[in-house]
Amino acid sequence: MPLPKEINCTVDDIYNLPEGERAELIDGKLYMMAPPSRIHQKLIMELSATIRDYIKKNDGSCEVYPAPFAVFLNEDDKNYVEPDISVICSSEKLTDKGCNGSPDWIIEIVSPTSQRMDYLTKLFKYRTAGVREYWIVDPAKNLVQAYLFSDAEDFNQFVFSDSCRVGIFGDFEICIADLLK
């Protein structure tokens, strides 16, 4: 589990990290990030491509961005995250630096060092920041937890061999096991 530094940090501290070091900033606390595993990267690649292909096939306006991609959740200098996958459907949120405000859909791939962040800290932060849908994909448990944060909040849990329905698109389902073949 990454430990926060107790000093009050800003986005400037992210940009001043030594070359090759990555971190996220949540409510002024800096969380260092470990390098991802091979399965982590494969899941990001396959999920991103699957989502992009669905959007293109349906002439959608949403865009898919895999990490590292800067998300300034609260449009302030105290919150900066790099979700594994960000889907943004409002082009006015996009700048050359990243996304100002909440993506519509965020997917985090759980690593041994990111469990607490993904399941607790980010779940709360994404929900309160206005993210519409949040998936936690856990390769160690072969499990997907899907949260839909709308007027009628919803939670679903899927194993990798199930088809997971994407709440913000309605007619789109993803089977993680099929992506790993």
Side-chain angles (χ1 to χ4, degrees), residues 90-110:
S90 302
S91 62
E92 64 272 1
K93 290 182 180 181
L94 296 170
T95 70
D96 286 340
K97 286 191 170 189
C99 178
N100 287 321
S102 298
D104 293 270
W105 180 19
I106 288 178
I107 300 174
E108 294 284 7
I109 314 298
V110 178

Side-chain angles (χ1 to χ4, degrees), residues 69-145:
F69 180 73
V71 173
F72 304 91
L73 275 178
N74 299 101
E75 299 183 63
D76 62 19
D77 68 345
K78 303 286 185 201
N79 291 281
Y80 169 100
V81 292
E82 291 183 2
D84 290 317
I85 300 172
S86 300
V87 178
I88 297 110
C89 300
S90 302
S91 62
E92 64 272 1
K93 290 182 180 181
L94 296 170
T95 70
D96 286 340
K97 286 191 170 189
C99 178
N100 287 321
S102 298
D104 293 270
W105 180 19
I106 288 178
I107 300 174
E108 294 284 7
I109 314 298
V110 178
S111 300
T113 59
S114 73
Q115 290 180 15
R116 182 174 177 80
M117 284 289 291
D118 295 337
Y119 282 107
L120 299 172
T121 306
K122 287 184 177 179
L123 173 62
F124 176 76
K125 191 65 183 174
Y126 293 159
R127 181 177 178 264
T128 58
V131 172
R132 293 171 51 204
E133 186 160 359
Y134 175 43
W135 281 21
I136 302 170
V137 178
D138 193 330
K141 296 178 182 175
N142 289 319
L143 200 65
V144 177
Q145 291 187 357

Side-chain angles (χ1 to χ4, degrees), residues 13-176:
D13 294 301
I14 295 287
Y15 287 114
N16 289 323
L17 288 172
E19 183 73 29
E21 284 191 30
R22 290 179 51 217
E24 294 180 303
L25 182 66
I26 298 178
D27 297 327
K29 293 182 181 166
L30 197 62
Y31 296 85
M32 302 308 291
M33 299 169 68
S37 68
R38 183 191 62 79
I39 189 69
H40 187 276
Q41 291 302 95
K42 181 172 179 140
L43 282 164
I44 290 173
M45 180 69 178
E46 295 300 327
L47 280 164
S48 295
T50 300
I51 297 164
R52 181 209 56 218
D53 291 348
Y54 169 83
I55 292 168
K56 281 186 174 189
K57 180 179 143 197
N58 290 282
D59 296 319
S61 59
C62 301
E63 295 187 39
V64 183
Y65 293 93
F69 180 73
V71 173
F72 304 91
L73 275 178
N74 299 101
E75 299 183 63
D76 62 19
D77 68 345
K78 303 286 185 201
N79 291 281
Y80 169 100
V81 292
E82 291 183 2
D84 290 317
I85 300 172
S86 300
V87 178
I88 297 110
C89 300
S90 302
S91 62
E92 64 272 1
K93 290 182 180 181
L94 296 170
T95 70
D96 286 340
K97 286 191 170 189
C99 178
N100 287 321
S102 298
D104 293 270
W105 180 19
I106 288 178
I107 300 174
E108 294 284 7
I109 314 298
V110 178
S111 300
T113 59
S114 73
Q115 290 180 15
R116 182 174 177 80
M117 284 289 291
D118 295 337
Y119 282 107
L120 299 172
T121 306
K122 287 184 177 179
L123 173 62
F124 176 76
K125 191 65 183 174
Y126 293 159
R127 181 177 178 264
T128 58
V131 172
R132 293 171 51 204
E133 186 160 359
Y134 175 43
W135 281 21
I136 302 170
V137 178
D138 193 330
K141 296 178 182 175
N142 289 319
L143 200 65
V144 177
Q145 291 187 357
Y147 297 87
L148 196 59
F149 306 128
S150 59
D151 293 336
E153 290 192 14
D154 197 11
F155 166 77
N156 289 295
Q157 186 166 288
F158 304 94
V159 295
F160 278 17
S161 59
D162 291 338
S163 287
C164 308
R165 187 181 60 80
V166 178
I168 66 167
F169 293 126
D171 65 339
F172 181 31
E173 293 185 356
I174 299 173
C175 177
I176 304 287

